Amino acid sequence: MYPPELVKPMQQELTAVGFDELRSKADVDVALAKEGTTLVVVNSVCGCAAANARPGAIKSLQNAKTPDHLVTVFAGVDKEATDEARAKMIPFPPSSPSMALFKDGELVHMLERHHIEGRPAEMIADNLMDAYNEHC
């Protein structure tokens, strides 16, 4: 587990733009049971989360269509919530950072770490916006 003072700014980067933090299995179950679309960001302390994932997720919200709900779990911090979110992302293997778009509780789009690492935030945002345009 990472110290709270270390991860707080990384959490706030997403919560400042409207993401809700999920901290338990129950939080994840409630969030993904909601009607409509839900973007789940599996946050991380790694450099690709800082340079690519979080900025890409934030930029994607400048689209005309956006998810109804924005949530995040933090790998290495909220183990129970992260494990449950990842269980809902099967058949994709656990990775962080990662992002998943759900529609009415069903996984409809997935960005794994290998889709994020080494790619500019703009490319990640474009990928997410395409998914929003199709599913939101």
Side-chain angles (χ1 to χ4, degrees):
M1 292 296 194
Y2 297 106
E5 63 275 6
L6 173 73
V7 299
K8 186 171 181 152
M10 298 173 209
Q11 291 168 317
Q12 289 176 334
E13 198 171 342
L14 293 176
T15 60
V17 296
F19 282 81
D20 292 326
E21 288 182 273
L22 307 179
R23 299 194 179 268
S24 69
K25 177 186 184 306
D27 289 347
V28 173
D29 291 340
V30 167
L32 293 182
K34 292 180 180 177
E35 285 187 29
T37 51
T38 303
L39 177 64
V40 179
V41 174
V42 179
N43 204 348
S44 174
V45 299
C46 71
C48 64
N52 313 84
R54 291 190 299 269
I58 293 165
K59 286 178 193 285
S60 76
L61 301 177
Q62 297 171 3
N63 196 45
K65 292 183 178 181
T66 58
D68 300 309
H69 314 284
L70 305 170
V71 298
T72 182
V73 297
F74 208 110
V77 176
D78 300 313
K79 182 174 176 14
E80 182 182 322
T82 302
D83 288 348
E84 183 64 13
R86 287 175 170 164
K88 307 277 189 198
M89 296 173 190
I90 291 174
F92 298 95
S95 67
S96 56
S98 61
M99 300 177 207
L101 183 65
F102 291 82
K103 184 171 187 174
D104 298 327
E106 297 296 320
L107 179 64
V108 294
H109 188 75
M110 184 75 191
L111 280 172
E112 298 174 83
R113 180 185 176 104
H114 69 89
H115 297 122
I116 295 168
E117 191 172 30
R119 291 182 171 73
E122 293 78 12
M123 183 181 285
I124 294 161
D126 288 345
N127 181 295
L128 289 171
M129 288 188 276
D130 287 345
Y132 303 162
N133 290 336
E134 182 177 346
H135 300 287
C136 295

